[in-house]
Amino acid sequence: MAWARLATKTLTSAGANISTDAFTGNKFNQILSHTFASTTAARDLTFNNSSASVYAVRKSDNGGADSTATSQSFAELRFNSNEDHLHIIYTCWVSSQEKLAVCHFVSGGTVGAGNAPNRTEVVFKFVPSPDESLTNVKFNKGSFVNFAIDSNIMVIGTD
Amino acid sequence: MSFPFLQSYLGLGSGLQTKNAAGGGGGGGGSGIGGWVELGRASGTGSSQTITVSSLANKRYYLVLSHCISSANIAPAMRLGNGSVDTGSNYAWRSSGNGGVENVYGNQSEGMRCDDNIANDNNDRLNTWYVSNFASKEKLMIGHSINRNSVGVGNAPRRGEAVGKWANTSSALDRIQINNTQNTAFGSDSEVVVLGYDPADTHSNNFWTELASTTLTSDSSTISSGTFTAKKYLWFQYYTRQTTGGFTLRANGDSGSNYHRRFSGDGGAENTATSAQLWGDYNAGKASFGNWFGVNTSSKEKLFIGHVNEVTTTGAGTAPSRIEVVMKWANTSSQVTSLAFNLRDAGTNFLAGSCIKVWGSD
């Protein structure tokens, strides 16, 4: 089956989260996200609106030593909360198995060509119980302010 | 262009594999809207240090594949523009080569590089670059690179990773340029392909055609894509789960020591090795998910960039491992037309549900 669009959402006003409408996920899914902060916003990613402690994350910021976070209620995919972010996420959803993801993202740094952006490499997994299919992707602002208008998230997939 | 959807069952090893050999670019999901589409491409002239793809449609996201053939020392960088390529000091980026300490640059005019800290040498490159594009926001870039090193299986490829930005907040981009910062010409068979994707898209076609899809329906010692149509650019993903032990990934059934890979696991020290496999497991994990891009030109060594999520302990109480890989198949007479996983230890099996999918395009 060819790649096809599963969902897209663009904020038409500032919001506490950016969330896709419900969709039917595939075995292989790619998430593209370009988000702006209204002052500040975390990029706390959840699948299927699940905030259970079912996420485990490993990441490296700017090439530094890996850090891990386990039994989390979201995957934290933020560098600086006030900066624009571009996320590229590949995620695999095999029935009855842990859902695995590979993510790269850039956080734009302070505006201006004199300021280099920041780089984060991530792998994470989502361990729902009982098993789930992918139906929703959401970035939450966490304890920060809001996402800004025109933030976008897209999902394409294929079985 | 579309082809009939074919489904067959191909028994390999001790298991049963569902194999789909499919073509066509139609959207396969309920939306009917396809995936990445090609917006433009350009080739090297053999006499220019830049390759520019112009008149690009305005898209929120771009994926750029650049295969730079060297005829002298090269160091590809990306520049963007609207109406003309911006050659001003409006770029900033950070990059790590071979997992080393990052270099950080601001106010650069040469563009954004993927492979700083690696030799600016006379070797072919494959780069993948994702770019965001919104007129009033700085354009952000995520890039990865493989530098082939000298031809020959004994020469380890090099890997680069970077992020960058074009500090333009007044225009959407309409051109993308790959600039050789070594001020020499790219080889004439170099190519830059620009793909795009946008929330407003309604297309039903795809740049990436599905070439192979195999899913184990019962346990097996092998997962094979089967033979697929040769394409210049490859994208493949896999999910493997096994009882125990490590595995190998090979191209075209070549079990000779004709591969060289470089990788880092969990941000650790680089490993390089000539081997009889394109890739294997990192830590004999119980499950792994890999995402790979490659360039597949018959007369050139085949170059791949990969990222893997490997699970050694199940449950949300343990984080998975993170592996960054580049690898080459030192074959200069054939294209990759099959990929197969084999377990290293007798008596072990991949478990049902393990799968591989391959997409490609010329």
Side-chain angles (χ1 to χ4, degrees):
Chain A
M1 192 177 84
W3 287 94
R5 175 175 308 171
L6 304 179
T8 185
K9 177 69 72 176
T10 301
L11 291 185
T12 55
S13 61
N17 61 65
I18 178 167
S19 175
T20 67
D21 294 333
F23 63 90
T24 301
N26 288 131
K27 183 185 295 182
F28 295 107
N29 307 277
Q30 184 177 26
I31 301 164
L32 314 170
S33 178
H34 186 207
T35 54
F36 316 128
S38 178
T39 309
T40 57
R43 271 72 172 183
D44 295 343
L45 181 134
T46 59
F47 290 134
N48 299 352
N49 290 302
S50 174
S51 57
S53 300
V54 290
Y55 301 84
V57 182
R58 173 184 294 276
K59 66 181 178 179
S60 166
D61 291 326
N62 289 337
D66 279 17
S67 62
T68 61
T70 59
S71 301
Q72 300 293 295
S73 56
F74 54 82
E76 184 182 88
L77 304 178
R78 171 187 88 249
F79 191 89
N80 284 325
S81 63
N82 61 329
E83 298 174 357
D84 300 349
H85 281 63
L86 168 64
H87 291 86
I88 305 296
I89 304 170
Y90 310 95
T91 182
C92 178
W93 288 62
V94 172
S95 177
S96 302
Q97 304 304 321
E98 296 182 339
K99 317 310 177 190
L100 307 183
V102 174
C103 171
H104 307 283
F105 69 86
V106 50
S107 176
T110 302
V111 170
N115 307 301
N118 299 294
R119 179 174 73 89
T120 302
E121 309 163 89
V122 190
V123 295
F124 64 96
K125 62 180 178 179
F126 173 62
V127 191
S129 180
D131 190 44
E132 298 177 7
S133 298
L134 179 61
T135 58
N136 171 267
V137 178
K138 179 163 67 175
F139 277 108
N140 295 279
K141 72 178 182 65
S143 60
F144 295 94
V145 180
N146 263 331
F147 289 97
I149 187 172
D150 293 319
S151 294
N152 173 262
I153 187 167
M154 296 188 71
V155 185
I156 62 174
T158 180
D159 278 330
Chain B
M1 185 176 183
S2 64
F3 297 92
F5 181 82
L6 304 174
Q7 185 173 38
S8 62
Y9 291 95
L10 177 65
L12 290 173
S14 59
L16 188 64
Q17 309 196 13
T18 303
K19 179 178 178 298
N20 300 326
S31 70
I33 302 172
W36 291 97
V37 289
E38 180 176 338
L39 304 178
R41 68 172 67 198
S43 299
T45 62
S47 60
S48 174
Q49 72 176 71
T50 62
I51 303 172
T52 305
V53 185
S54 301
S55 302
L56 292 169
N58 182 2
K59 302 291 182 180
R60 188 68 179 257
Y61 304 98
Y62 297 91
L63 169 55
V64 182
L65 309 170
S66 63
H67 185 211
C68 296
I69 306 301
S70 65
S71 55
N73 289 352
I74 63 172
M78 171 179 280
R79 294 196 288 208
L80 307 173
N82 181 288
S84 61
V85 172
D86 186 351
T87 58
S89 300
N90 297 315
Y91 302 91
W93 50 280
R94 70 170 60 239
S95 173
S96 166
N98 292 339
V101 174
E102 289 193 332
N103 281 349
V104 181
Y105 300 91
N107 300 314
Q108 296 293 296
S109 61
E110 65 181 8
M112 304 170 280
R113 287 189 55 184
C114 267
D115 59 354
D116 192 38
N117 274 344
I118 327 177
N120 301 325
D121 55 13
N122 185 359
N123 291 307
D124 300 350
R125 311 287 206 284
L126 169 67
N127 286 16
T128 63
W129 324 68
Y130 283 99
V131 179
S132 65
N133 181 42
F134 193 84
S136 62
K137 300 290 185 179
E138 294 183 330
K139 285 58 176 175
L140 305 180
M141 182 279 291
I142 300 170
H144 293 95
S145 172
I146 174 172
N147 171 326
R148 180 203 62 196
N149 202 339
S150 300
V151 169
V153 71
N155 303 306
R158 303 164 179 138
R159 71 182 179 92
E161 46 196 331
V163 297
K165 68 178 181 182
W166 178 38
N168 174 299
T169 56
S170 59
S171 303
L173 69 88
D174 71 355
R175 61 204 59 216
I176 293 174
Q177 179 182 83
I178 302 302
N179 172 42
N180 182 5
T181 63
Q182 295 301 292
N183 301 318
T184 61
F186 287 122
S188 60
D189 42 1
S190 300
E191 186 173 56
V192 177
V193 180
V194 179
L195 314 182
Y197 210 68
D198 190 82
D201 280 346
T202 58
H203 62 272
S204 60
N205 57 317
N206 273 281
F207 173 79
W208 298 105
T209 295
E210 184 176 301
L211 303 178
S213 176
T214 299
T215 300
L216 293 185
T217 55
S218 62
D219 298 353
S220 172
S221 61
T222 301
I223 311 168
S224 174
S225 66
T227 301
F228 54 78
T229 304
K231 295 290 182 182
K232 179 175 182 179
Y233 300 101
L234 296 176
W235 180 13
F236 67 93
Q237 296 187 346
Y238 59 80
Y239 173 83
T240 62
R241 193 167 66 93
Q242 62 271 6
T243 48
T244 186
F247 60 79
T248 63
L249 170 64
R250 291 174 175 145
N252 293 11
D254 183 357
S255 58
S257 295
N258 298 316
Y259 309 90
H260 207 131
R261 66 179 189 268
R262 171 187 293 276
F263 71 93
S264 167
D266 294 339
E270 297 277 288
N271 293 271
T272 62
T274 301
S275 74
Q277 60 188 30
L278 264 172
W279 173 240
D281 55 288
Y282 168 57
N283 197 24
K286 292 180 176 176
S288 64
F289 164 54
N291 182 81
W292 299 81
F293 290 101
V295 65
N296 188 29
T297 302
S298 182
S299 62
K300 306 287 186 185
E301 292 186 336
K302 268 49 80 178
L303 307 179
F304 293 90
I305 301 167
H307 296 91
V308 178
N309 177 327
E310 183 172 298
V311 174
T312 52
T313 303
T314 57
T318 304
S321 284
R322 180 177 69 85
I323 305 103
E324 308 166 88
V325 196
V326 295
M327 60 189 186
K328 69 177 183 179
W329 183 34
N331 176 304
T332 55
S333 60
S334 302
Q335 289 182 280
V336 176
T337 55
S338 70
L339 293 165
F341 293 92
N342 290 280
L343 283 163
R344 287 200 297 263
D345 301 324
T348 59
N349 273 330
F350 292 110
L351 302 177
S354 298
C355 53
I356 181 171
K357 286 186 78 78
V358 184
W359 305 271
S361 191
D362 283 323

